[in-house]
């Protein structure tokens, strides 16, 4: 009898594919004011009230991979009777790396960085959700990072782990906004995350501001900014600015925030297109 649990290989000989030329590295051709392509799909988890999947393209296939995140929204649902009365909806956020998300295996319990990401995500979503329409109810937003952009030990060795968290937070805000919209929870606007960074590509080069930074593309990142932005209302619900900015140029802080807002506008277009396709398919 054949073993049905085993996937057998092809019966005949196979020839590996041969490519005419190598795929060029996209990281060397991306413009400073350009963002990476994203793929977003809603309704990937039927058992949840709302869900979404976000994938950001890889820039350098030899070193890093793209980032993949999924989000599920459970609720709004009634609070337990033992809970105190709340005139607004109680929002709970949970961000967790999958154990296999990075080459260095993660633990099953959340560490300090994951708790920080959860706090930033909760602050960002509170400014978008109309919470007073669901009194005495709660909603849980769970974001799982399926795949990180690079190996964790590589990020630690290069000193870029703190900058990777900026990109992760931007992705968490975007995928959570799509999942909340898929759950039918009323919001004042479709929120999206954007990241900008002040980078230096050499000792003689002047620092410049780039959108959607990838740490491996640049020699050094001096500062970074991550925003959660509502494009229609022109409001920022969460701002995370980190790093050292030269004191000689006082306008760099404003430039970082402005570029991060510009990046979030580009991501918001992808979110809107995905939601419109989901509505059209109903």
């Amino acid at each position: 009898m054949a073993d049905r649990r085993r996937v057998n290989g092809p019966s005949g000989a196979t020839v590996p594919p041969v490519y005419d030329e190598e795929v060029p590295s996209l990281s060397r051709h991306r413009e400073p004011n350009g963002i990476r392509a994203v793929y977003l799909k809603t309704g990937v988890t039927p058992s949840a009230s709302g869900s979404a999947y976000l994938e950001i393209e890889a820039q350098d296939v030899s070193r890093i991979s793209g980032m993949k995140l999924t989000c599920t929204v459970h609720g709004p649902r009634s609070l337990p009777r033992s809970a105190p009365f709340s005139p607004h909806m109680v929002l709970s956020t949970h961000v967790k790396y999958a154990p296999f998300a990075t080459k260095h295996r993660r633990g099953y319990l959340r560490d300090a960085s994951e708790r920080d990401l959860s706090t930033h995500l909760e602050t960002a979503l509170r400014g978008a959700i109309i919470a007073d329409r669901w009194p005495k109810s709660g909603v849980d937003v769970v974001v799982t990072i399926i795949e990180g952009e690079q190996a964790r030990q590589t990020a630690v060795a290069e000193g870029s782990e703190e900058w990777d968290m900026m990109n992760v937070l931007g992705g968490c805000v975007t995928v959570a906004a799509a999942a909340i919209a898929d759950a039918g929870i009323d919001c004042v606007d479709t929120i999206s995350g954007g990241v900008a960074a002040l980078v230096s590509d050499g000792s003689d080069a002047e620092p410049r501001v780039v959108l959607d930074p990838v740490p491996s593309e640049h020699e050094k990142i001096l500062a970074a900014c991550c925003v959660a932005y509502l494009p229609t209302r022109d409001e920022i619900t969460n701002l995370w600015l980190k790093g050292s900015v030269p004191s000689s140029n006082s306008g760099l802080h404003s430039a970082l925030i402005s570029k991060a807002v510009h990046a979030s506008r580009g991501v918001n277009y992808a979110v809107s297109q995905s939601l419109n396709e989901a509505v059209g398919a109903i």
Side-chain angles (χ1 to χ4, degrees):
M1 295 181 63
D3 188 357
R4 297 182 179 180
R5 296 174 298 178
R6 179 174 299 176
V7 179
N8 298 321
S11 57
T14 59
V15 178
V18 178
Y19 300 96
D20 294 337
E21 58 182 358
E22 296 182 356
V23 179
S25 174
L26 299 177
S27 62
R28 300 178 182 177
H29 303 282
R30 188 160 63 101
E31 297 296 332
N33 291 329
I35 61 175
R36 292 173 289 175
V38 300
Y39 171 78
L40 181 65
K41 183 177 179 59
T42 58
V44 295
T45 308
S47 60
S49 303
S51 59
Y53 170 78
L54 176 67
E55 183 173 342
I56 302 176
E57 71 168 346
Q59 286 299 296
D60 192 343
V61 295
S62 63
R63 296 190 60 188
I64 61 174
S65 59
M67 185 167 53
K68 301 176 178 64
L69 306 95
T70 181
C71 177
T72 56
V73 175
H74 304 276
R77 54 192 177 191
S78 301
L79 293 175
R81 293 188 175 183
S82 59
F85 173 78
S86 175
H88 306 286
M89 181 174 60
V90 178
L91 175 64
S92 175
T93 57
H94 185 97
V95 178
K96 183 72 180 71
Y97 279 88
F100 50 83
T102 55
K103 191 173 181 180
H104 180 74
R105 189 172 180 85
R106 293 264 184 171
Y108 289 96
L109 299 178
R110 289 193 301 169
D111 56 18
S113 62
E114 292 166 335
R115 289 192 293 269
D116 290 343
L117 290 173
S118 301
T119 302
H120 282 288
L121 179 61
E122 181 180 355
T123 305
L125 296 180
R126 283 188 182 277
I129 296 177
I130 307 178
D132 55 357
R133 293 189 179 180
W134 290 275
K136 300 184 294 183
S137 61
V139 63
D140 298 328
V141 179
V142 182
V143 178
T144 303
I145 303 164
I146 301 176
E147 184 176 356
E149 287 189 319
Q150 60 181 332
R152 191 180 184 188
Q153 61 268 35
T154 303
V156 173
E158 296 179 356
S160 60
E161 188 178 20
E162 57 181 348
W163 311 121
D164 285 342
M165 289 182 59
M166 295 278 189
N167 292 329
V168 171
L169 177 60
C172 290
V173 172
T174 303
V175 72
I180 288 174
D182 185 56
I185 299 176
D186 293 338
C187 299
V188 296
D189 196 3
T190 304
I191 193 172
S192 58
V195 184
L198 179 67
V199 301
S200 175
D201 293 327
S203 57
D204 299 333
E206 185 177 356
R208 59 191 178 96
V209 180
V210 297
L211 275 63
D212 193 14
V214 177
S216 60
E217 293 181 3
H218 309 285
E219 182 176 337
K220 186 178 182 182
I221 296 182
L222 303 177
C225 176
C226 178
V227 299
Y229 182 67
L230 301 173
T232 304
R233 298 172 64 92
D234 193 21
E235 294 180 2
I236 295 176
T237 60
N238 185 67
L239 173 64
W240 187 11
L241 184 62
K242 191 172 184 178
S244 58
V245 178
S247 57
S248 58
N249 192 347
S250 58
L252 281 179
H253 287 92
S254 300
L256 272 175
I257 298 175
S258 177
K259 290 294 185 179
V261 169
H262 184 68
S264 67
R265 286 181 179 272
V267 176
N268 185 266
Y269 178 78
V271 177
S272 300
Q273 291 295 322
S274 178
L275 294 177
N276 290 334
E277 292 177 1
V279 172
I282 297 177

